[in-house]
Protein backbone atom coordinates (compact mmCIF):
# COMPACT_ATOMS: atom_id res chain seq x y z
CA UNK A 1 0.00 0.00 0.00
CA UNK A 2 1.22 3.47 -0.89
CA UNK A 3 1.10 5.89 2.04
CA UNK A 4 0.99 9.65 1.49
CA UNK A 5 1.50 12.25 4.20
CA UNK A 6 -0.56 15.22 3.06
CA UNK A 7 -1.88 18.51 4.43
CA UNK A 8 -5.30 20.14 4.08
CA UNK A 9 -3.94 23.29 2.41
CA UNK A 10 -0.66 21.97 1.02
CA UNK A 11 -0.44 22.84 -2.67
CA UNK A 12 2.29 20.28 -3.33
CA UNK A 13 0.77 17.41 -1.35
CA UNK A 14 -2.57 17.93 -3.09
CA UNK A 15 -0.70 17.90 -6.40
CA UNK A 16 0.51 14.37 -5.55
CA UNK A 17 -3.02 13.34 -4.55
CA UNK A 18 -4.30 14.30 -8.01
CA UNK A 19 -1.49 12.33 -9.65
CA UNK A 20 -2.25 9.22 -7.59
CA UNK A 21 -5.94 9.38 -8.44
CA UNK A 22 -5.33 10.07 -12.13
CA UNK A 23 -3.12 6.99 -12.24
CA UNK A 24 -5.78 4.93 -10.46
CA UNK A 25 -3.47 4.04 -7.56
CA UNK A 26 -4.90 3.16 -4.16
CA UNK A 27 -3.22 4.93 -1.27
CA UNK A 28 -3.55 5.53 2.43
CA UNK A 29 -3.58 9.22 3.27
CA UNK A 30 -2.29 10.54 6.58
CA UNK A 31 -3.47 14.14 6.92
CA UNK A 32 -1.01 16.22 8.93
CA UNK A 33 -2.63 18.74 11.33
CA UNK A 34 -2.56 22.39 10.24
CA UNK A 35 -3.90 25.73 11.42
CA UNK A 36 -3.52 29.28 10.13
CA UNK A 37 -1.78 30.56 13.29
CA UNK A 38 1.10 28.09 13.66
CA UNK A 39 0.92 26.29 10.31
CA UNK A 40 2.23 22.72 10.55
CA UNK A 41 3.84 23.33 13.95
CA UNK A 42 4.25 21.09 15.88
CA UNK A 43 5.22 19.05 12.86
CA UNK A 44 4.23 15.44 12.42
CA UNK A 45 7.04 13.25 13.86
CA UNK A 46 7.08 10.85 10.92
CA UNK A 47 7.30 13.72 8.43
CA UNK A 48 10.22 15.13 10.41
CA UNK A 49 11.89 11.71 10.39
CA UNK A 50 11.42 11.13 6.67
CA UNK A 51 11.98 14.60 5.21
CA UNK A 52 14.91 16.81 6.30
CA UNK A 53 12.77 19.84 5.31
CA UNK A 54 9.99 18.68 7.64
CA UNK A 55 7.33 19.26 4.98
CA UNK A 56 4.61 17.32 3.21
CA UNK A 57 4.25 15.61 0.81
CA UNK A 58 6.05 12.49 1.91
CA UNK A 59 5.28 9.22 0.13
CA UNK A 60 6.14 5.70 1.28
CA UNK A 61 5.91 2.74 -1.09
CA UNK A 62 7.17 -0.72 -0.16
CA UNK A 63 9.97 0.64 2.01
CA UNK A 64 10.93 3.48 -0.33
CA UNK A 65 10.33 6.93 1.18
CA UNK A 66 10.33 10.03 -1.02
CA UNK A 67 9.69 13.73 -0.60
CA UNK A 68 9.26 16.60 -3.11
CA UNK A 69 6.16 16.45 -5.29
CA UNK A 70 8.05 16.32 -8.60
CA UNK A 71 10.34 13.50 -7.46
CA UNK A 72 7.31 11.60 -6.17
CA UNK A 73 5.29 11.95 -9.39
CA UNK A 74 8.25 10.97 -11.55
CA UNK A 75 8.74 7.87 -9.41
CA UNK A 76 5.06 6.95 -9.61
CA UNK A 77 5.11 7.31 -13.38
CA UNK A 78 8.10 4.99 -13.71
CA UNK A 79 7.02 2.45 -11.10
CA UNK A 80 3.37 2.38 -12.23
CA UNK A 81 3.40 3.16 -15.97
CA UNK A 82 -0.35 2.83 -16.52
CA UNK A 83 -2.08 6.18 -17.18
CA UNK A 84 1.24 7.99 -17.74
CA UNK A 85 1.69 11.56 -16.56
CA UNK A 86 4.76 12.32 -18.66
CA UNK A 87 4.68 12.22 -22.48
CA UNK A 88 6.40 9.58 -24.56
CA UNK A 89 9.05 11.59 -26.44
CA UNK A 90 12.09 13.24 -24.81
CA UNK A 91 11.15 16.66 -26.21
CA UNK A 92 7.57 16.50 -24.92
CA UNK A 93 8.74 15.21 -21.54
CA UNK A 94 11.18 18.11 -21.30
CA UNK A 95 8.42 20.61 -22.14
CA UNK A 96 6.16 19.02 -19.52
CA UNK A 97 8.87 19.22 -16.87
CA UNK A 98 9.63 22.84 -17.75
CA UNK A 99 5.95 23.82 -17.50
CA UNK A 100 5.74 21.95 -14.19
CA UNK A 101 8.77 23.87 -12.94
CA UNK A 102 7.12 27.14 -14.05
CA UNK A 103 4.09 26.27 -11.91
CA UNK A 104 6.04 25.09 -8.88
CA UNK A 105 8.61 27.86 -8.75
CA UNK A 106 7.65 30.91 -10.82
CA UNK A 107 3.87 30.88 -10.42
CA UNK A 108 4.25 30.01 -6.73
CA UNK A 109 6.50 33.02 -6.12
CA UNK A 110 3.75 35.31 -7.37
CA UNK A 111 1.20 33.56 -5.14
CA UNK A 112 3.18 33.94 -1.91
CA UNK A 113 2.36 37.66 -1.34
CA UNK A 114 -1.35 36.73 -1.41
CA UNK A 115 -1.13 33.98 1.20
CA UNK A 116 -1.53 36.30 4.18
CA UNK A 117 -5.11 36.94 3.04
CA UNK A 118 -6.41 33.67 4.49
CA UNK A 119 -4.56 33.96 7.81
CA UNK A 120 -5.30 35.96 10.95
CA UNK A 121 -5.28 39.70 10.36
CA UNK A 122 -2.18 41.26 11.93
CA UNK A 123 -2.49 44.04 14.48
CA UNK A 124 0.29 46.25 13.06
CA UNK A 125 -1.42 48.61 10.57
CA UNK A 126 1.79 49.51 8.76
CA UNK A 127 2.62 45.85 8.22
CA UNK A 128 -0.93 45.14 7.03
CA UNK A 129 -0.69 48.00 4.56
CA UNK A 130 2.65 46.73 3.24
CA UNK A 131 1.28 43.20 2.85
CA UNK A 132 -1.78 44.45 1.01
CA UNK A 133 0.38 46.59 -1.30
CA UNK A 134 2.65 43.65 -2.08
CA UNK A 135 -0.41 41.52 -2.85
CA UNK A 136 -1.68 44.04 -5.40
CA UNK A 137 1.70 44.04 -7.13
CA UNK A 138 1.64 40.25 -7.14
CA UNK A 139 -1.83 40.26 -8.73
CA UNK A 140 -0.39 42.17 -11.70
CA UNK A 141 2.42 39.61 -11.96
CA UNK A 142 -0.11 36.77 -11.83
CA UNK A 143 -2.19 38.37 -14.57
CA UNK A 144 0.94 38.44 -16.72
CA UNK A 145 1.51 34.75 -16.03
CA UNK A 146 -2.09 34.02 -17.02
CA UNK A 147 -1.57 35.80 -20.33
CA UNK A 148 1.61 33.82 -20.94
CA UNK A 149 -0.15 30.53 -20.17
CA UNK A 150 -3.06 31.46 -22.43
CA UNK A 151 -0.63 31.98 -25.30
CA UNK A 152 1.24 28.75 -24.54
CA UNK A 153 -1.95 26.69 -24.36
CA UNK A 154 -3.01 28.01 -27.77
CA UNK A 155 -6.43 26.35 -27.81
CA UNK A 156 -5.12 22.85 -27.05
CA UNK A 157 -6.89 20.50 -24.64
CA UNK A 158 -3.83 20.12 -22.39
CA UNK A 159 -0.40 21.73 -22.04
CA UNK A 160 1.16 18.57 -23.47
CA UNK A 161 0.01 16.00 -26.01
CA UNK A 162 -2.07 14.43 -23.18
CA UNK A 163 -2.86 15.22 -19.57
CA UNK A 164 0.53 15.46 -17.91
CA UNK A 165 2.21 16.48 -14.67
CA UNK A 166 2.41 20.08 -15.90
CA UNK A 167 -1.38 20.28 -16.11
CA UNK A 168 -1.67 19.11 -12.51
CA UNK A 169 0.93 21.59 -11.24
CA UNK A 170 -0.50 24.51 -13.19
CA UNK A 171 -4.04 23.65 -12.08
CA UNK A 172 -2.94 23.74 -8.45
CA UNK A 173 -1.26 27.12 -8.90
CA UNK A 174 -4.34 28.62 -10.54
CA UNK A 175 -6.65 27.03 -7.96
CA UNK A 176 -4.64 28.67 -5.19
CA UNK A 177 -4.81 31.96 -7.07
CA UNK A 178 -8.59 31.72 -7.00
CA UNK A 179 -8.78 30.83 -3.31
CA UNK A 180 -6.43 33.70 -2.42
CA UNK A 181 -8.43 36.34 -4.31
CA UNK A 182 -6.06 36.59 -7.26
CA UNK A 183 -6.97 37.90 -10.71
CA UNK A 184 -9.79 36.25 -12.60
CA UNK A 185 -9.19 33.73 -15.37
CA UNK A 186 -12.26 35.02 -17.24
CA UNK A 187 -10.31 37.23 -19.68
CA UNK A 188 -8.38 34.17 -20.88
CA UNK A 189 -10.82 31.98 -22.80
CA UNK A 190 -8.55 29.03 -23.50
CA UNK A 191 -7.00 28.99 -20.03
CA UNK A 192 -10.32 29.29 -18.20
CA UNK A 193 -11.82 26.57 -20.41
CA UNK A 194 -8.87 24.29 -19.67
CA UNK A 195 -9.26 24.94 -15.93
CA UNK A 196 -12.97 24.11 -15.98
CA UNK A 197 -12.38 20.93 -18.00
CA UNK A 198 -9.88 19.70 -15.43
CA UNK A 199 -12.27 20.60 -12.65
CA UNK A 200 -14.74 18.14 -14.16
CA UNK A 201 -12.30 15.25 -13.73
CA UNK A 202 -12.91 13.38 -10.45
CA UNK A 203 -9.27 13.54 -9.29
CA UNK A 204 -9.20 17.32 -9.61
CA UNK A 205 -12.75 17.85 -8.34
CA UNK A 206 -12.10 15.90 -5.12
CA UNK A 207 -9.02 17.97 -4.30
CA UNK A 208 -10.73 21.27 -5.12
CA UNK A 209 -13.72 20.39 -2.94
CA UNK A 210 -11.55 19.27 -0.03
CA UNK A 211 -9.48 22.46 -0.20
CA UNK A 212 -12.65 24.56 -0.21
CA UNK A 213 -13.90 22.68 2.86
CA UNK A 214 -10.52 23.11 4.58
CA UNK A 215 -10.72 26.84 3.92
CA UNK A 216 -14.18 26.97 5.49
CA UNK A 217 -12.77 25.32 8.62
CA UNK A 218 -9.32 26.85 8.82
CA UNK A 219 -9.07 30.11 6.88
CA UNK A 220 -10.26 33.67 7.31
CA UNK A 221 -12.87 34.34 4.58
CA UNK A 222 -11.61 36.81 2.01
CA UNK A 223 -14.82 38.84 2.31
CA UNK A 224 -14.00 39.56 5.96
CA UNK A 225 -10.60 41.09 5.28
Amino acid sequence: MITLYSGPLSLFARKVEIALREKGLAFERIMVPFNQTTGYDPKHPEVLAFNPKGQVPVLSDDGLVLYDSTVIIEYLDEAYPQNPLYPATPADRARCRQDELFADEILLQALKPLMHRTGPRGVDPSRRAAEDADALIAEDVLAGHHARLEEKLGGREFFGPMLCAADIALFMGLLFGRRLGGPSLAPYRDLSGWFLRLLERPAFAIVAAEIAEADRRLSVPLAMR
Side-chain angles (χ1 to χ4, degrees):
M1 172 65 73
I2 296 171
T3 299
L4 176 69
Y5 293 83
S6 186
L9 293 173
S10 168
L11 184 155
F12 292 112
R14 296 295 197 165
K15 171 186 164 187
V16 174
E17 289 187 31
I18 292 175
L20 284 162
R21 291 190 172 101
E22 280 290 337
K23 292 185 72 64
L25 296 173
F27 65 101
E28 176 190 10
R29 183 177 66 180
I30 298 175
M31 193 62 78
V32 176
F34 169 86
N35 66 72
Q36 288 284 3
T37 303
T38 60
Y40 291 99
D41 188 35
K43 295 184 176 181
H44 193 287
E46 292 179 12
V47 172
L48 283 173
F50 292 146
N51 183 355
K53 297 171 70 174
Q55 300 172 348
V56 294
V58 172
L59 181 135
S60 174
D61 183 23
D62 194 25
L64 175 67
V65 178
L66 300 171
Y67 56 90
D68 183 87
S69 64
T70 298
V71 172
I72 291 171
I73 295 174
E74 289 182 344
Y75 162 75
L76 292 172
D77 220 44
E78 293 176 358
Y80 303 95
Q82 69 274 18
N83 303 322
L85 291 174
Y86 290 94
T89 71
D92 283 337
R93 284 198 301 274
R95 293 187 189 100
C96 175
R97 288 187 171 107
Q98 188 159 283
D99 288 342
E100 183 181 8
L101 183 144
F102 177 86
D104 288 352
E105 297 190 11
I106 298 172
L107 188 58
L108 177 65
Q109 288 303 312
L111 288 169
K112 285 182 177 179
L114 278 61
M115 290 183 178
H116 74 283
R117 291 175 170 175
T118 57
R121 190 71 166 162
V123 297
D124 183 345
S126 60
R127 181 174 180 178
R128 292 202 307 266
E131 288 176 337
D132 291 341
D134 287 345
L136 291 176
I137 295 170
E139 286 192 29
D140 287 339
V141 175
L142 283 168
H145 291 334
H146 294 170
R148 177 179 177 180
L149 291 171
E150 171 84 355
E151 182 179 1
K152 178 181 280 287
L153 188 59
R156 293 176 295 156
E157 185 177 7
F158 302 115
F159 277 87
M162 29 64 89
L163 177 79
C164 70
D167 292 286
I168 297 173
L170 289 166
F171 174 88
M172 288 305 306
L174 296 184
L175 179 68
F176 266 59
R178 286 167 54 124
R179 63 173 287 265
L180 295 170
S184 172
L185 298 181
Y188 311 101
R189 185 183 65 181
D190 291 343
L191 189 63
S192 60
W194 164 88
F195 185 87
L196 292 174
R197 285 195 303 276
L198 291 189
L199 202 52
E200 292 174 352
R201 300 174 73 99
F204 291 81
I206 289 169
V207 161
E210 288 189 351
I211 287 174
E213 175 57 27
D215 268 327
R216 284 189 286 270
R217 291 185 293 105
L218 300 170
S219 300
V220 176
L222 293 178
M224 294 177 60
R225 298 199 66 80

